[in-house]
Amino acid sequence: MILVEPVQNGAATFADAVTLAGQVVALGHKVVIRAERLPEGLHTRDKYEALSLLREKEFGPVSAMLVIGGQSADDIGLQSLRRVALRDDAPVIVFGQFNDRQANLAAMAKIAYVTGREPTCVDLTGRPDLAVEGQACPSFGVVAPMTKRPFLQDLPPVLVWLADTDASVRRPWDGLFHSRLITPVVLTPARNKEDWLHPGAVGRQIYHLGEMSPSDMSRFSNILVIASNIGTESRVLCLINNVTVSGGIVIDATESGSLSRLDLPVIRGPADPGFLHDFLRDAVLPNLTGLQAELAASPFRQRVDLAQFLAENGVSAPGQTVVSPRKVDRKRSRSVLFLPTNGIGMGHARRCSLLATAMLGSGIRSTFAAFASCGPMIATGGFDWAPLVAKSRLHEQENAYDIVNSGRLNGLLAGCDVFVFDGASVYDSVVRSILRSGVPAVWVRRGLWPTMQDNSVALDRSKVFARIIIPGEAFAELNFRYSDGPRHFPVGPVVQRVGDNTAAVRKALVERLGIKFGQLVVTMLGGGVATDMSAQVQTVCAAVEQRRGVLHLILVWPGSVVPPVWHMWQRSRVVMTSHASVLAAASDFIISAAGYNSFHEAMYNRIPAIFVPQDAPYLDNQSARAEAAATRAVAVHVEAGRLGALDREISRFLDHGKAAEIKARLSALDLPPPGNRDAAARILELLP
């Protein structure tokens, strides 16, 4: 176990420790950073990366210790070193930027005193190959062979570091994204990432430095173009050294030729992106093998190779090395991992269950990573699931739940062959886990996003998915195309079809509830988390209370919080169930929200419906669906606030035959074929 120790308190030094630890992990070593060293104000990107490294006090014997920031070790940092249990043969290696020999000796004396052994000091002053502009982070390189990314085109990928904030500088690079020669993968500082998010940039391979580790970045390509000065970005220098140590090519395309002047083994290239494209076409790609051999002969590679440095300083080689290309164990059954977002009505989980059901019989094992609210429904469908942490106001940090889920997803993806995410907003954890694992990923993306919602971030994250499956709407005018391209696959509506067992279900209800009825009304307005629909439910209960031949079922998901007043009605019953579609199909009509699943189940199972759309700002445009059906006279649309109109429509359905009229029109309605099997087939095509 190697301990990486930021000996100075502060977020910057800790971030350096996380970067170095990630490089050591890429060699196959087991690495820890003590949780007690976690500082306040740490950047979000470093929290995601630090999660798998942090350990409490008990983490086993330390075989080596790498100390960061030795030039400014404070008393707190030095005192904490006294509590580290080092093996007798464990080397202590200290990195720092020392002003002079005396400062070096003073720091070494202090660390020798608290650790009980003579440390090895690496002075990063005057080492532009290992450190940038006074930073204490040693940017060693590790071998990170290229790994095929399922979401990239079949053109050679080329990494480009571009940090300029001036739009006039970025604009010429736009043309490079239309190249038929290469696939550019642009890296930029986090503060500049939003500058790239404009309508024409949807799906482009543009990342900020915090979205993946340097070793993961270097697996994209063996060609790296440095188009901006490195500045203080240690991770960029790590990336340069990774590509170099891995036998790749680094092209200095800066205006000043800064890398060339630092005696780094680079090829000087043109700074103009227009000329750069021709340079790659004429000078680099045809001569790739020869250029790699020439650069491989440089002694620079040995100086910055982290594996060689550790071996020379007494750190034993890891017991098991990390192999970057993902290998599939043919002895185990192939599997698909589904992650439905934490949908309020759990419609995302329902859709994933339908896709998993469509795969039955193909020999594929479907598993789920899901939030606790979705678990019972998934288990009812016969699928295994692992719990994720839901967002909570009790968390001190807004994205604490997602940081934890990132670690869980990394473990789950290690044992699957295809990953399927269903949701409107792609979590940070999803993006990071896909980039780290290399597993082919699918985004199931239903439409009708809120009209006032800023979709730029969500659409930008589509770049990490090998396929984007777009379940269609029942009516053509509802199918909006937020993005397009060869990775997009529109399919028919993904919907659950229910068999004709109306008589049996109604008979079972009489026996179970002890209430005889002639008409059955089902309400499916949700549990009130997204939109408080309790007034609407009370209106329905009051409307059926005086009709003795009517039974009213209020359907809610298991675990929902139900207002006690709902239990006080004589002709209404609250039913917690994961089989709402079966009860709805057995009813004379339903009063329902117009979410994707409930709406399409009503249309395809020919169930007369009064749609009362939920209107929370983050939900899909349910009013548009309800209005499209009402325009065709195959449903009724009542806005949530119009309780009087809701009461009148219930009366028309119960007393004046309107339900039967709508059912007749539904029977003649021409609908697109369901897309369940088509969507499942598109997912299965990605299996190895």
Side-chain angles (χ1 to χ4, degrees), residues 535-598:
Q536 289 75 15
V537 174
Q538 288 289 87
T539 299
V540 181
C541 292
V544 303
E545 186 69 8
Q546 301 305 317
R547 293 175 167 88
R548 301 192 62 81
V550 179
L551 173 63
H552 174 218
L553 301 181
I554 309 169
L555 305 188
V556 295
W557 291 105
S560 298
V561 177
V562 177
V565 69
W566 291 3
H567 296 282
M568 299 176 63
W569 300 95
Q570 298 298 312
R571 306 298 301 180
S572 300
R573 293 291 185 273
V574 177
V575 179
M576 289 190 175
T577 180
S578 299
H579 303 286
S581 55
V582 176
L583 294 172
S587 69
D588 290 275
F589 67 94
I590 63 174
I591 297 98
S592 173
Y596 185 93
N597 291 296
S598 54

Side-chain angles (χ1 to χ4, degrees), residues 430-471:
V430 169
V431 174
R432 292 171 180 276
S433 297
I434 292 172
L435 291 172
R436 173 172 289 187
S437 69
V439 173
V442 178
W443 184 7
V444 179
R445 190 185 78 191
R446 63 111 177 94
L448 286 182
W449 292 352
T451 54
M452 300 302 292
Q453 177 176 285
D454 181 3
N455 302 322
S456 58
V457 173
L459 291 175
D460 170 67
R461 292 179 175 182
S462 67
K463 62 179 179 280
V464 303
F465 293 94
R467 292 194 172 173
I468 300 168
I469 294 175
I470 306 169

Side-chain angles (χ1 to χ4, degrees), residues 15 26 132 223 227 236 253 255 267 330 348 422 458 468 531 548 575 597 603 607 617 626 632 639:
V132 295
I223 301 175
V236 178
E255 289 282 356
I267 299 173
R330 298 296 180 186
H348 302 282
D422 188 311
I468 300 168
T531 305
R548 301 192 62 81
V575 179
N597 291 296
M603 295 295 103
I607 307 170
R632 291 167 172 81
E639 292 294 340

